[in-house]
Amino acid sequence: MKKISFLFAALATTIGFTSCDESKDEHPVLTQHEGVIVENFLNVPEMSNTSVELTSDNQAQTLHMTCSQPSYGYAATVRYNVEVSFSEDFATPVAEGLPASLTLGSSFYDCSEINPTYGEIATAMCDMLGLKNEKQVPTGYYDIYARLTANIEQANGANVVPNTTYQSNVVKLTRANCAYLAIIVPGQPTGIYLRGGFDAGWAALPEYEFLTTDVSGVYAIESCSIGEGIEFKVADANWAAINYGYNGTDIEFGKPYELTGPDNPGNLKMPKAFTGRVQLTVAGGKYVLLLDAAEPETPGLPSGIYLRGDMNGWGTDTEFKTTEFKNIWIVENVTIAEGESFKVADATWGAINYGGGEEPFELDKTYTLTLGGGNITCTEAFTGNVKLQLQGGAYKLTLITI
């Protein structure tokens, strides 16, 4: 089983534990201060020098830590948050552009029960390493450092009292091996496809592959078109473990549809022409499909977005027009010679100025544009329609040969 494992050791000397439940003075006075005071109040974890393994199966388990209350002058209601980092100074990231430290999501109020979950720690490790997919998971080990931030919480629980921030000493968590992807990265391929009669060979096509969303177990094709009467299924690339389809009832747009499978179920059939978002939810062994039709639009209206390039002197005479669906535009009967370059932009090269990135450009394949990207070069002569769509927050271009 893939796992994260680490061995706990103390960076600071053990300090005595002071109860948070001591009786308040008859006239308590809160000691406030400017800025952040660093004070030794985090104790050595009970599990020091004990190997702890974090796996996808034990995310709810916790790391038990204790502390004493900082010098507030009386036993106050204190909110404690755990911060972790790969650097002892909490300021040096693993690589440029990555967070140097992260504060875990849970807050704690009992000095004797500072219990961050294994899942929270694993997620922070993956975020600080900048992981995007399983292939990037490293095999090496990392030292991790942890400290507490303490604040007095206001009576309503919504905010903290100003000038009450303390930062603890640092505890070192050694031999941390991040060996599984403990985060949800949206927009990643899943290996699950809509496969059907929209392709003669029922192939696993990239434009019909479900991508991850920001919700675990929920995948989506942000925009696709399937004609009326077309048959299809939900399957992996090999028709193997995933092969789901017809359950005996007809599909309706906007309503969840529980698929039958994986033992070679019947084909689904599109009740009418569809363009929109397709969502697949996988939970408890069930596969549920939701067809969310795109919002309608009046076709043929100007968009203020242009295809600008060598073929038209980089002018604005080739304007995308609206289609029947919102956020999908088209320019018809475009000719681009081999070697000519182009971009997608507004009239002033302002907010909309999109070009190419690292992804290779090909005719008849959907291409994700890059804001401020370079010129896109047509690798072969093209005559056809050019489709532009705003999908999942990204502009995507397809040169459709006719």
Side-chain angles (χ1 to χ4, degrees):
M1 176 180 294
K2 291 185 176 180
K3 62 189 178 183
I4 296 176
S5 62
F6 49 76
L7 182 67
F8 295 96
L11 179 68
T13 304
T14 306
I15 59 179
F17 173 73
T18 303
S19 171
C20 292
D21 297 325
E22 61 190 41
S23 299
K24 294 183 180 180
D25 296 334
E26 291 184 4
H27 303 286
V29 177
L30 174 63
T31 301
Q32 294 177 272
H33 56 270
E34 295 290 335
V36 178
I37 292 180
V38 178
E39 184 175 286
N40 290 344
F41 61 90
L42 175 59
N43 297 326
V44 176
E46 293 179 354
M47 300 181 69
S48 292
N49 301 316
T50 301
S51 178
V52 177
E53 297 183 353
L54 305 181
T55 74
S56 57
D57 296 326
N58 66 7
Q59 297 178 52
Q61 294 185 30
T62 59
L63 164 65
H64 181 58
M65 306 170 72
T66 64
C67 70
S68 56
Q69 181 179 288
S71 304
Y72 288 119
Y74 66 95
T77 300
V78 183
R79 178 195 297 178
Y80 298 96
N81 292 98
V82 181
E83 184 183 7
V84 295
S85 177
F86 286 127
S87 63
E88 187 176 346
D89 62 4
F90 282 71
T92 307
V94 171
E96 185 177 354
L98 296 178
S101 66
L102 287 172
T103 298
L104 306 185
S106 298
S107 297
F108 305 95
Y109 300 88
D110 185 340
C111 293
S112 64
E113 297 292 340
I114 310 294
N115 300 322
T117 67
Y118 290 2
E120 287 178 304
I121 298 170
T123 297
M125 291 176 66
C126 290
D127 281 334
M128 290 188 296
L129 289 170
L131 304 186
K132 299 298 183 183
N133 53 61
E134 289 279 0
K135 294 180 181 178
Q136 295 178 331
V137 174
T139 57
Y141 288 83
Y142 293 83
D143 288 339
I144 300 180
Y145 299 88
R147 65 188 182 190
L148 298 183
T149 300
N151 290 278
I152 299 292
E153 188 171 89
Q154 293 182 353
N156 61 12
N159 297 294
V160 296
V161 177
N163 301 322
T164 62
T165 303
Y166 279 87
Q167 194 174 84
S168 79
N169 53 296
V170 176
V171 169
K172 184 178 181 182
L173 317 177
T174 63
R175 299 289 294 168
N177 176 27
C178 179
Y180 84 105
L181 191 66
I183 56 177
I184 300 171
V185 182
Q188 300 302 304
T190 63
I192 307 174
Y193 302 82
L194 285 181
R195 302 182 63 174
F198 32 83
D199 171 74
W202 281 61
L205 302 174
E207 58 266 40
Y208 290 96
E209 182 176 12
F210 288 95
L211 304 180
T212 56
T213 68
D214 56 3
V215 179
S216 178
V218 178
Y219 315 117
I221 303 171
E222 291 297 337
S223 180
C224 72
S225 296
I226 303 175
E228 181 178 358
I230 294 294
E231 296 187 0
F232 62 97
K233 283 184 169 184
V234 172
D236 56 33
N238 300 313
W239 300 102
I242 301 174
N243 183 359
Y244 286 79
Y246 184 63
N247 71 6
T249 60
D250 294 332
I251 294 177
E252 295 183 51
F253 296 169
K255 292 185 178 181
Y257 182 94
E258 185 176 336
L259 302 171
T260 297
D263 298 323
N264 197 29
N267 298 336
L268 298 159
K269 180 181 287 188
M270 192 60 67
K272 56 184 177 180
F274 170 83
T275 292
R277 183 178 188 270
V278 183
Q279 177 177 294
L280 178 67
T281 301
V282 181
K286 296 180 179 180
Y287 284 68
V288 178
L289 196 69
L290 178 64
L291 301 178
D292 188 9
E295 185 177 341
E297 175 68 280
T298 302
L301 301 178
S303 67
I305 307 174
Y306 304 88
L307 188 69
R308 308 181 66 173
D310 293 327
M311 66 284 178
N312 60 8
W314 296 89
T316 57
D317 59 350
T318 308
E319 184 175 13
F320 287 95
K321 298 298 178 64
T322 58
T323 66
E324 296 178 300
F325 303 101
K326 188 176 181 180
N327 294 330
I328 299 178
W329 306 273
I330 197 164
V331 179
E332 297 181 335
N333 299 318
V334 175
T335 296
I336 305 175
E338 180 180 353
E340 288 187 326
S341 297
F342 59 90
K343 296 181 78 173
V344 171
D346 55 29
T348 62
W349 300 99
I352 299 179
N353 181 359
Y354 286 82
E358 297 181 359
E359 179 185 358
F361 174 79
E362 297 181 50
L363 300 182
D364 296 303
K365 289 189 177 181
T366 301
Y367 184 84
T368 301
L369 299 172
T370 300
L371 180 62
N375 297 341
I376 302 171
T377 300
C378 200
T379 56
E380 55 185 293
F382 167 78
T383 297
N385 300 331
V386 182
K387 183 177 77 169
L388 176 69
Q389 62 187 103
L390 183 60
Q391 176 182 348
Y395 282 94
K396 300 193 175 185
L397 191 74
T398 310
L399 270 62
I400 306 169
T401 305
I402 58 175

